Amino acid sequence: MAKTLIKNIGLYRNHKITEHGNIEITDDRITAFPEKIEDISAYVTVIDGKDMLALPGFINTHNHIAMTAFRSYADDMQLMDWLEKKIWPAEACLNEEVVYAQTMLGIAEMIRCGTTGFADMYFFMDQVAEAVKDSGIRACLSRGLTGITPNADAALQENLDFYRTWHNSCDGRITVMFGPHAPYTCPEEYLYKVVDTARSVGAEIHMHLSETKAEVDNHRKQYGLSPIAWADKVGVFDCGCLAAHCVHVDDEDLEIMARKKVRVAHNPGSNLKLASGTAPIGKMLKKGITVSLGTDGASSNNNLDIFEEMRLAALIHKGVTYDPTIIPAETAVNLLTEGGAAALGYRDAGKLEIGYKADITLMDREGLHWYPRNDVLSLLAYSANSMDVDTVFIDGKPVLKNKEFVTLDIERIKARAEETKKQLLAAVESV
Amino acid sequence: MAKTLIKNIGLYRNHKITEHGNIEITDDRITAFPEKIEDISAYVTVIDGKDMLALPGFINTHNHIAMTAFRSYADDMQLMDWLEKKIWPAEACLNEEVVYAQTMLGIAEMIRCGTTGFADMYFFMDQVAEAVKDSGIRACLSRGLTGITPNADAALQENLDFYRTWHNSCDGRITVMFGPHAPYTCPEEYLYKVVDTARSVGAEIHMHLSETKAEVDNHRKQYGLSPIAWADKVGVFDCGCLAAHCVHVDDEDLEIMARKKVRVAHNPGSNLKLASGTAPIGKMLKKGITVSLGTDGASSNNNLDIFEEMRLAALIHKGVTYDPTIIPAETAVNLLTEGGAAALGYRDAGKLEIGYKADITLMDREGLHWYPRNDVLSLLAYSANSMDVDTVFIDGKPVLKNKEFVTLDIERIKARAEETKKQLLAAVESV
């Protein structure tokens, strides 16, 4: 039993911050919050939390992580131009080596920003899973499935194989969902097949829903139903669903989402940058819908800084609803932590509690933006930034310490990302 | 003549980035961009810019800097509750010592984020000017004036004295404007007096205009004119005007603003957090109106990170106008740099050009979010963060180097900010 003590630290527990706390970690779990340290020699590792803040590790609930390859590759374009002229041709040239290298880059970036778990939907998912395994992060992975391509059935089989191989692997760090991409890429018959297959193994579903107004309008024309109502009809929500975006949802949609316990991945940065709009998360939260935060891929964000998404979520909804109280500081921090864990179905992560996984992010409070000190939760939500993240534990293991990576070779990761990106773009140009 | 060389660095010039450039600084000015370094011994200081990016120093064009005292003091409240119950009673207890200490804190925070110049409107302005003088930053200062308080005329006299004492002082680092607070705090007769006084010395005006919908609606009821049309009628724009916010402006307002060369301080973070809305800066830019970025005070933001405002400006207007091309990366960077300089009336700052002031911000590109490298300008606008700022020159002098302050005693600044805030809040409670 390896015991770690984080001592004399500010703790975010029960939606409040208390100072001068202690956290005991035994192996992969939080085992105590001792008020006094009787015997310091009982701990293999002792971390001094002076002037730091301990939070549940941040969760990024929507990503296409290997798209870090396309960070800053194509910006400031209309959506269909961007997809058809730049992203899809480039994606067609991806291979296993690129995906592994870019995924490692993305994971490292997320850890640096305090992220301990993420959800992904892409392809070459075995390589993504290998990178998750190697890096020590927690992840909920799905194979992106489109029913309109020749390999639709093969991809579904791949998702099934992937589920069987990786679900609950790496001491439970990796879980797997099915990933039907979106209503406009999954014809009804195909989506029924996906749902049946997911149901046959008890898997949940990760899907883009109601991201743009055009998608919703077209869907209503084609099916006479909103994407949400249609997904419900096909049985997506009966599997358990992590729904990305949900920007253009009406009150009927929200009723369905609440009733069917749909968990939302809100991606404010991507929704703004791609000009999709702003999801009504204030209404969702009032209805008791689980809301969490995602960065989306780095090609539409352009970073994987989930703390920046928290800031965006805290700010934009006040501005667009003209209600300064709609997402208060506490709510914003919860979206980042327990909301994220709930969205990914983690029952023992997302809070600092005894028995919970030791996925813990420590932020330092040395920065000038932490002064003067009035309300710590407000400082966290409205003034801090992700570079304040000092130390990150995942599954009880330190992966970042004093802002340095403990296990990952960052220079090699950066170099490999650059090399494989160059190979990829050379391949794209030679097509 | 003290000569500095920044060598082998990425340069943002003419709205483009070129790699492997060199910058020669002589005293307070940029004097050359040598292609080859003939004699390195000619330089007293040589900075290796390897993997860094040189930008014109960032400009924060709207602030109430001493309000750092109230950072996280009152959040998630309705605007009038916030002002009446929290901010105004606390402001009534401010004194010179508090203002100096909080201003130093705010200046240090701004420098850390790459800011080389800012505009301020507040009171105890001599202390603000002393802090500007002591810190080495550039500033455009105005005494906040309200016509509805007993000291209205005294405050105007103060602004005039302040102008005579400080305008163009400290080698031109400090300039002074007149600061009539807002249409709803300056009755017409008073505003005429302010305009006359400003005109008598050739001073410009810094004023809040059309910040909230309620302000505009009330103003139209009272005066039959929008705040913009009314300010124009009273002669504010004939003095030259830095107008903060301009959130609720219609096409007629925009016509006036374009014709009268009103320069706008856009404060996206504050406008969102206080639920004021989003200013139509896309339209402004199309009309050729000068737009710049401000943080507003730390009590309504809650940090003074102007780079974060740039990111917000780059993202939110895409989302609310449904146009992903409305504020491209280059425009966002220009708001932060040359737009800011133009807004404050700086004719020789805001660009990296020969003869311009050596106000230069260097950002490192070591962070994972800078990989892989496709388009540097996109990486800057959409992926970088202010903690990438490595070195800051103002007026040719280094004030930040390798992320450490060169001249400021940061620990003392933080401690004084905390001490004076405590004294202030004790005074507030004893009232």
Side-chain angles (χ1 to χ4, degrees), chain A residues 219-241:
Chain A
H219 201 85
R220 283 189 188 279
K221 263 184 224 155
Q222 191 180 349
Y223 291 98
L225 289 172
S226 74
I228 297 286
W230 175 78
D232 185 37
K233 185 194 83 173
V234 177
V236 170
F237 302 153
D238 297 315
C239 296
C241 181

Side-chain angles (χ1 to χ4, degrees), chain B residues 255-367:
Chain B
E255 277 301 325
I256 297 169
M257 292 163 67
R259 200 170 63 240
K260 290 301 183 78
K261 300 196 189 312
V262 173
R263 291 110 64 186
V264 174
H266 173 46
N267 302 270
S270 167
N271 294 160
L272 291 170
K273 182 152 181 289
L274 298 179
S276 306
T278 52
I281 67 162
K283 280 188 181 182
M284 293 178 193
L285 291 165
K286 264 193 200 130
K287 283 198 164 294
I289 296 169
T290 294
V291 181
S292 62
L293 297 170
T295 53
D296 210 347
S299 57
S300 55
N301 189 304
N302 288 354
N303 60 41
L304 303 181
D305 183 348
I306 197 67
F307 199 83
E308 190 175 314
E309 300 302 311
M310 182 277 288
R311 176 68 41 75
L312 283 171
L315 292 179
I316 59 172
H317 302 289
K318 295 177 171 73
V320 298
T321 65
Y322 292 93
D323 177 0
T325 68
I326 193 167
I327 308 288
E330 177 196 320
T331 303
V333 174
N334 287 343
L335 296 177
L336 186 64
T337 55
E338 63 182 82
L344 301 197
Y346 297 154
R347 291 193 188 159
D348 53 0
K351 294 183 194 183
L352 298 187
E353 287 308 331
I354 290 172
Y356 271 55
K357 287 283 189 180
D359 291 3
I360 305 172
T361 291
L362 310 186
M363 296 182 84
D364 79 47
R365 289 184 274 181
E366 286 176 12

Side-chain angles (χ1 to χ4, degrees), chain A residues 76 366 373 382 414 421, chain B residues 76 366 382 414 421:
Chain A
D76 301 326
E366 285 176 13
R373 306 242 167 120
Y382 299 121
K414 291 198 286 194
K421 183 267 296 182
Chain B
D76 302 326
E366 286 176 12
Y382 299 121
K414 292 197 286 193
K421 182 267 297 184

Side-chain angles (χ1 to χ4, degrees), chain A residues 344-366:
Chain A
L344 302 197
Y346 298 155
R347 294 194 182 156
D348 53 0
K351 296 183 191 180
L352 298 186
E353 287 307 330
I354 291 171
Y356 272 54
K357 288 282 188 181
D359 291 4
I360 305 172
T361 290
L362 310 186
M363 297 183 81
D364 78 49
R365 288 183 277 180
E366 285 176 13

Side-chain angles (χ1 to χ4, degrees), chain A residues 68-79 102 105 108-110 112 213 247-248 268-269 271-278 301-305 308 311-312 314-325 327-330 365-376 378-379 382-388 405 410-411 413-415 417-418 421 425, chain B residues 68-79 102 105 108-110 112 213 247-248 268-269 271-278 301-305 308 311-312 314-325 327-330 365-376 378-379 382-388 405 410-411 413-415 417-418 421 425:
Chain A
T68 42
F70 310 126
R71 188 195 326 258
S72 77
Y73 171 63
D75 292 295
D76 301 326
M77 298 176 74
Q78 296 292 342
L79 181 67
Q102 300 296 334
L105 175 72
E109 185 191 356
M110 290 197 292
R112 179 64 190 84
K213 190 167 177 307
V247 176
H248 297 277
N271 294 159
L272 291 169
K273 181 153 180 289
L274 299 179
S276 306
T278 51
N301 188 307
N302 291 353
N303 60 40
L304 303 181
D305 182 347
E308 190 175 313
R311 176 70 40 74
L312 283 170
L315 293 178
I316 59 173
H317 301 288
K318 296 177 171 74
V320 298
T321 64
Y322 292 94
D323 177 359
T325 68
I327 308 289
E330 177 196 321
R365 288 183 277 180
E366 285 176 13
L368 292 149
H369 48 275
W370 285 93
Y371 287 84
R373 306 242 167 120
N374 289 302
D375 184 280
V376 180
S378 272
L379 288 166
Y382 299 121
S383 189
N385 67 64
S386 65
M387 295 299 102
D388 297 332
F405 287 87
I410 288 306
E411 292 313 316
I413 286 172
K414 291 198 286 194
E418 193 62 24
K421 183 267 296 182
L425 295 190
Chain B
T68 42
F70 310 126
R71 189 196 325 259
S72 76
Y73 171 61
D75 294 295
D76 302 326
M77 296 175 76
Q78 295 291 341
L79 181 68
Q102 300 297 334
L105 175 72
E109 185 192 355
M110 288 196 294
R112 179 62 189 87
K213 190 167 178 305
V247 176
H248 296 278
N271 294 160
L272 291 170
K273 182 152 181 289
L274 298 179
S276 306
T278 52
N301 189 304
N302 288 354
N303 60 41
L304 303 181
D305 183 348
E308 190 175 314
R311 176 68 41 75
L312 283 171
L315 292 179
I316 59 172
H317 302 289
K318 295 177 171 73
V320 298
T321 65
Y322 292 93
D323 177 0
T325 68
I327 308 288
E330 177 196 320
R365 289 184 274 181
E366 286 176 12
L368 291 150
H369 46 276
W370 284 93
Y371 287 84
R373 306 242 167 120
N374 290 300
D375 184 279
V376 179
S378 271
L379 288 167
Y382 299 121
S383 188
N385 67 66
S386 65
M387 295 299 102
D388 297 332
F405 287 88
I410 288 307
E411 292 312 316
I413 287 173
K414 292 197 286 193
E418 192 61 25
K421 182 267 297 184
L425 295 190

Side-chain angles (χ1 to χ4, degrees), chain B residues 119-169:
Chain B
D120 204 61
M121 178 201 290
Y122 212 53
F123 40 102
F124 295 108
M125 290 310 293
D126 284 317
Q127 279 61 47
V128 176
E130 291 290 349
V132 169
K133 182 179 161 189
D134 296 347
S135 65
I137 199 166
R138 193 176 302 284
C140 170
L141 307 176
S142 55
R143 205 289 186 201
L145 304 168
T146 62
I148 50 175
T149 43
N151 73 340
D153 288 328
L156 180 55
Q157 183 62 43
E158 238 183 65
N159 203 149
L160 181 61
D161 295 342
F162 183 64
Y163 181 88
R164 287 177 170 145
T165 309
W166 290 100
H167 185 61
N168 274 329
S169 66

Side-chain angles (χ1 to χ4, degrees), chain A residues 58-199:
Chain A
F58 310 152
I59 314 273
N60 182 343
T61 65
H62 186 63
N63 207 337
H64 312 285
I65 191 165
M67 292 186 87
T68 42
F70 310 126
R71 188 195 326 258
S72 77
Y73 171 63
D75 292 295
D76 301 326
M77 298 176 74
Q78 296 292 342
L79 181 67
M80 289 319 290
D81 272 2
W82 177 72
L83 286 172
E84 290 175 4
K85 292 185 186 158
K86 302 293 287 188
I87 297 299
W88 289 341
E91 281 187 332
C93 295
L94 281 171
N95 61 37
E96 296 173 346
E97 197 186 356
V98 179
V99 166
Y100 182 86
Q102 300 296 334
T103 301
M104 282 303 274
L105 175 72
I107 289 173
E109 185 191 356
M110 290 197 292
I111 289 172
R112 179 64 190 84
C113 297
T115 317
T116 57
F118 74 106
D120 204 61
M121 179 202 289
Y122 212 53
F123 38 103
F124 294 107
M125 291 308 293
D126 283 317
Q127 278 62 46
V128 176
E130 291 290 348
V132 170
K133 181 180 161 189
D134 295 348
S135 66
I137 200 167
R138 193 177 301 284
C140 170
L141 307 176
S142 55
R143 206 288 184 202
L145 304 168
T146 62
I148 51 175
T149 42
N151 72 341
D153 288 328
L156 179 55
Q157 182 62 43
E158 239 184 63
N159 202 149
L160 181 62
D161 294 344
F162 182 65
Y163 181 87
R164 287 179 171 144
T165 308
W166 290 99
H167 185 59
N168 274 329
S169 66
C170 301
D171 299 322
R173 273 199 292 117
I174 297 181
T175 52
V176 175
M177 287 186 181
F178 278 66
H181 172 262
Y184 54 94
T185 51
C186 291
E188 190 163 293
E189 190 189 3
Y190 185 69
L191 189 60
Y192 270 116
K193 242 196 280 186
V194 173
V195 167
D196 281 348
T197 311
R199 194 180 282 148

